[in-house]
Amino acid sequence: MNPANPADGVIALFNEGRFEQALARVADVPPDAVLGVELLNIAAACACALARPAQAEQYWRLALQRDPAHAPTWNNLGILLQQGGRGAEAEAAYHEALALQPDFADAHYNLGLLLQQSGALDAAHVCYQRALALRPGHADTYNNLGALYRMREQWPAALACFRQAAALQPENAQAQNNLGLALAQVGRMDEAEAALGRALALQPGFAAARANLDLVRQAPGRGAQARHRSGNAAAADPDDALVLHQRADLLQTSGHWAQAEACYLDALERAPERAGLHNNLAVLQSRMGRLDAAEASYRRALALRPDYAEALHNLAMLYMRQRRHAQAEWALRDFLALRPDDPDGLNSLGNLHQQTHRYADAEQCYRRALARRPSDPKSLNNLAVLLQHEGRAEEAEAAYRATIDADPGYPEARWNLGFMLLARGRLAEGWPLMEARYDPALAHPIAARPVLGFPQWRDQSLAGRSIVVWPEQGFGDQIQFVRYLPMLKAAGASRVTLVCQDPLVPLLRDAAGADAVLALSAAATRLPPHDYWVFMLSLPMHFRTTPATIPPALPYLAPDPARVRRWRQRLGADGVRVGLVWRGFGGHVNDANRSLPDLACLAPLWRAPGVAFVSLQRGMDGEGAGAATPDLPLLDLGAEIADFADTAAIVSLLDLVVCVDTAVAHVAGALGKACWVLLPAVHPDWRWMEARADSPWYPGVLKLYRQTAPGDWRTVVDAVAADLAAWTSRP
């Protein structure tokens, strides 16, 4: 150094770590020294090292008075302000540094970190990319970019960044820890354990890595037990909100929700200004079903960062889940104002429009999304659903097949295409695709494989073999497809055991082809080993059913004679009796469309002369109390029905059943009893096929009445009323 330089002594003391002496020496340096700005920066750094942020800020601001165009000083001030929780001022300082020196890699990196912590992920991504373009080998930038991708659940990109960070700094235990966290979050537990082990080998006292390793070892499906409670190590890094944030995300991903929530709350105590923490906590609260708390957390994230696009999108999804459509649209439009061509936002807005029957708007959104991301399976699939609903079957089929081509592993498209093909009568093509209903990758699996200790039937020979027929979906599905059991016997099965939901056991106990019938509640303890098991609704696929080969024999079920005698007494004198069911099971995914709003919707039926109406509706919710009037002779039996054997006995004593698409229709069909079924315009079930007024599943028995417009039950009921009047007046 130049001995004449008055800053030399201060620099030497700073380099030796003698910060107090360095600051004392600053007072001896003339204020007009040539290196005044550099000296003031060193003094500020000494104050920082001594945990005197106010003094450091004074020195840096004095340096900027001397030279407002000194970019490193703006960057250093930004770091100080960021550490002090003054995010807006820090962001302004970084922007000043970059306006003065656009190729300042440190400032790009620091600004990216600030934006990432506040939830502005798009802007942070740009900053990190610029920093890497200027400094390609910077491990910390790769590490933070990986964390950004992890927050977006862009796992391949996150893993690539963490691997690059670890490769650039093999001795960096934190890089190995982050890689392990990401691997765990995508379920690659063996690799995660190895990475976390490397982190601990590099830094044996790394408490967060130890806790993460214990968490990985106790993940579902892994036999090893954690040696410490997963929450212990969180306290070992009490001041590191980022570590707590990462661990909370891993706990959430691995299903440890209560521990994840505690970890998020600990992190928020240390960094309440981090919008990303509030957002991720809200995601967890939504998963836990605590929707009010989730909404509050999303709103806190947005109060901290009004341009937090991910939080807006998540809040919109929450509103859609609650069917708060107007608020969902508000949130999505704010999101798209920030990201006008974002495919995910456009897809979500399309879904909202489809839910609210604004089909032209929905199609426009999907096509805009696909213009940006042509092979996006979600947008392709949703467009196909819309086209199918609008009756544009050929276009819908093409869109479903394009979805499958784009992502052969996307089960929604296979399920939806199978559903559509079955509805169009193309059964042989549809059955194999419908096997996607129990694919674990399906967003909402329709069925789940049982754990039985013997294999699923894959068309192996059944000669001399035993097989379990496993239940799935609704009661009506079991009643419709129990007709296939004799075909298993005909294929050589030595023993066929039917497992069914408990309320169905009394009805199906004597089903043809069943050697034993077992209640689902008892299967875990009373089901003996068999050679194979099969889902009930997979039987038509195995027997390659087409419309021409549907097992036609009706009836294939019979009521219990003792119950028939008891219910005949309850029904009273002979006469024309019509059973009514106007609502299905409320948990059904399409119940809002398939069920009538109330009994009053059926009022036009009351005009039919000489009819005694019988309610088979379970849980009339007070409708039955005043429903029987001189104008409506209604006998309410719903509360007295114990199970489906009771339902079958009553139906056998009726002349006709009028019902919505629910299990009672299948009871009537299986008994060969006349039944008129009211079907919705929105998502009618595939089994009724398209544009048919009859059903090949119940030939000569069922008659179908279809809505022509969503929600228009009046036209349907008027048609039923006219036919009922004609039916009762026939000779």
Side-chain angles (χ1 to χ4, degrees):
M1 294 183 184
N2 181 356
N5 187 338
D8 286 349
V10 177
I11 294 172
L13 291 168
F14 175 78
N15 289 335
E16 294 169 7
R18 298 162 64 187
F19 304 124
E20 285 281 11
Q21 294 93 324
L23 283 175
R25 187 72 60 85
V26 169
D28 298 331
V29 177
D32 58 349
V34 174
L35 297 180
V37 171
E38 179 184 351
L39 182 63
L40 290 168
N41 269 277
I42 294 170
C46 290
C48 281
L50 294 168
R52 300 173 187 171
Q55 187 180 20
E57 183 176 354
Q58 286 181 331
Y59 280 123
W60 270 316
R61 293 199 180 278
L62 182 58
L64 288 170
Q65 289 178 13
R66 301 280 175 86
D67 184 1
H70 193 251
T73 303
W74 282 110
N75 179 66
N76 292 336
L77 178 61
I79 295 171
L80 179 74
L81 295 168
Q82 182 174 349
Q83 291 172 344
R86 295 157 65 181
E89 295 173 79
E91 184 174 350
Y94 292 138
H95 281 298
E96 287 285 351
L98 290 167
L100 293 164
Q101 188 177 328
D103 60 351
F104 195 168
D106 278 347
H108 284 295
Y109 169 80
N110 291 332
L111 178 57
L113 181 60
L114 173 66
L115 293 168
Q116 180 177 355
Q117 290 174 349
S118 63
L121 301 189
D122 284 348
H125 184 267
V126 171
C127 289
Y128 289 144
Q129 293 287 9
R130 289 175 179 166
L132 286 172
L134 294 164
R135 191 169 49 188
H138 192 236
D140 287 342
T141 306
Y142 277 110
N143 184 63
N144 287 332
L145 185 57
L148 185 152
Y149 285 131
R150 179 182 57 78
M151 293 170 71
R152 286 180 164 176
E153 298 187 358
Q154 295 176 262
W155 301 114
L159 285 169
C161 286
F162 288 138
R163 289 190 191 282
Q164 184 68 16
L168 288 166
Q169 287 187 344
E171 75 290 351
N172 188 326
Q174 184 62 59
Q176 295 292 345
N177 178 67
N178 289 343
L179 177 59
L181 281 168
L183 288 164
Q185 286 172 311
V186 296
R188 294 162 63 176
M189 294 301 181
D190 290 342
E191 295 173 79
E193 185 172 355
L196 293 167
R198 289 193 295 272
L200 285 168
L202 290 165
Q203 187 177 327
F206 194 169
R210 168 61 61 194
N212 292 334
L213 180 60
D214 289 342
L215 188 62
V216 165
R217 286 174 173 166
Q218 67 177 339
R222 295 174 63 82
Q225 295 295 316
R227 286 171 289 182
H228 306 287
R229 291 177 60 248
S230 57
N232 285 350
D237 296 294
D239 297 322
D240 193 344
L242 179 59
V243 169
L244 287 167
H245 189 167
Q246 291 173 332
R247 294 201 61 253
D249 288 347
L250 176 57
L251 286 161
Q252 180 174 175
T253 302
S254 59
H256 297 75
W257 289 355
Q259 296 170 7
E261 182 177 25
C263 210
Y264 282 128
L265 293 174
D266 282 349
L268 283 168
E269 285 184 6
R270 293 159 175 78
E273 77 288 349
R274 287 192 179 180
L277 273 170
H278 291 287
N279 176 75
N280 290 11
L281 173 61
V283 171
L284 174 65
Q285 290 166 330
S286 180
R287 287 178 171 174
M288 297 170 75
R290 293 162 49 191
L291 303 188
D292 290 343
E295 181 181 358
S297 294
Y298 284 134
R299 288 191 173 278
R300 281 192 286 272
L302 289 165
L304 289 164
R305 186 84 191 186
D307 61 350
Y308 192 170
E310 283 78 11
L312 277 169
H313 189 266
N314 290 338
L315 181 59
M317 296 302 97
L318 178 71
Y319 287 146
M320 287 177 68
R321 179 176 171 184
Q322 296 175 306
R323 304 189 73 81
R324 294 161 65 181
H325 294 137
Q327 289 163 292
E329 184 167 357
W330 156 76
L332 284 171
R333 292 200 181 280
D334 278 0
F335 172 84
L336 288 167
L338 295 168
R339 299 182 182 175
D341 296 313
D342 184 272
D344 293 324
L346 290 166
N347 179 66
S348 296
L349 185 58
N351 291 342
L352 176 63
H353 289 326
Q354 187 164 186
Q355 286 181 11
T356 53
H357 311 305
R358 294 161 60 183
Y359 300 122
D361 291 337
E363 182 174 354
Q364 181 184 44
C365 286
Y366 294 141
R367 293 198 183 280
R368 283 181 59 198
L370 289 166
R372 296 286 296 176
R373 198 159 59 195
S375 297
D376 177 44
K378 290 183 179 179
S379 296
L380 280 167
N381 179 69
N382 291 334
L383 175 62
V385 171
L386 175 67
L387 295 168
Q388 180 182 350
H389 169 78
E390 292 193 308
R392 297 155 64 182
E394 288 74 16
E395 294 176 78
E397 182 174 347
Y400 282 134
R401 294 196 184 280
T403 309
I404 295 169
D405 288 342
D407 184 358
Y410 188 58
E412 275 79 6
R414 288 182 281 123
W415 157 259
N416 287 333
L417 178 58
F419 191 104
M420 188 181 81
L421 292 173
L422 294 183
R424 305 197 77 196
R426 294 161 61 181
L427 303 188
E429 297 174 77
W431 298 127
L433 291 165
M434 291 290 278
E435 293 295 289
R437 68 189 182 278
Y438 54 87
D439 189 324
L442 197 67
H444 303 287
I446 311 301
R449 283 190 180 95
V451 180
L452 296 177
F454 44 90
Q456 187 174 3
W457 183 41
R458 302 291 189 185
D459 283 330
Q460 299 94 330
S461 172
L462 290 178
R465 303 289 186 174
S466 58
I467 188 166
V468 172
V469 179
W470 195 259
E472 57 169 311
Q473 303 185 55
F475 296 126
D477 298 284
Q478 308 306 297
I479 297 168
Q480 179 179 358
F481 292 102
V482 74
R483 68 181 77 196
Y484 280 88
L485 301 191
M487 299 178 74
L488 290 170
K489 298 296 288 185
S494 61
R495 181 173 180 80
V496 175
T497 298
L498 172 65
V499 177
C500 63
Q501 293 95 332
D502 292 32
L504 286 171
V505 172
L507 174 62
L508 302 184
R509 182 177 290 120
D510 298 320
D515 295 296
V517 177
L518 188 63
L520 183 60
S521 62
T525 57
R526 292 176 50 197
L527 181 66
H530 285 63
D531 292 301
Y532 303 112
W533 68 268
V534 65
F535 276 126
M536 175 78 88
L537 270 69
S538 293
L539 292 174
M541 177 191 71
H542 288 292
F543 291 110
R544 294 162 179 77
T545 301
T546 69
T549 62
I550 291 173
L554 297 180
Y556 58 84
L557 293 178
D560 176 10
R563 298 204 194 206
V564 171
R565 288 192 295 272
R566 180 166 64 84
W567 282 107
R568 181 177 284 116
Q569 294 176 353
R570 181 72 176 86
L571 286 168
D574 292 338
V576 177
R577 300 189 188 94
V578 176
L580 300 176
V581 181
W582 57 95
R583 288 202 308 270
F585 168 58
H588 189 279
V589 67
N590 198 39
D591 193 64
N593 293 309
R594 70 169 182 165
S595 290
L596 300 178
D598 51 43
L599 175 61
C601 292
L602 294 176
L605 274 57
W606 315 155
R607 296 193 296 266
V611 175
F613 292 99
V614 178
S615 170
L616 305 176
Q617 184 70 57
R618 302 289 300 276
M620 288 178 62
D621 299 331
E623 287 179 297
T629 68
D631 296 329
L632 172 54
L634 177 71
L635 177 62
D636 176 15
L637 300 181
E640 303 173 45
I641 296 173
D643 52 41
F644 278 95
D646 277 339
T647 301
I650 297 168
V651 167
S652 73
L653 296 168
L654 302 174
D655 297 284
L656 172 69
V657 174
V658 176
C659 63
V660 296
D661 179 10
T662 188
V664 175
H666 297 284
V667 173
L671 297 176
K673 180 64 63 175
C675 182
W676 297 354
V677 183
L678 286 59
L679 298 177
V682 178
H683 302 305
D685 202 88
W686 64 264
R687 74 199 70 226
W688 309 124
M689 301 187 182
E690 291 180 355
R692 294 187 68 136
D694 67 333
S695 170
W697 294 99
Y698 304 107
V701 172
L702 259 65
K703 186 175 182 179
L704 308 178
Y705 294 81
R706 298 176 182 272
Q707 280 185 345
T708 56
D712 180 18
W713 287 117
R714 180 58 184 268
T715 302
V716 174
V717 174
D718 284 347
V720 173
D723 286 354
L724 182 61
W727 185 74
T728 56
S729 63
R730 65 187 177 181

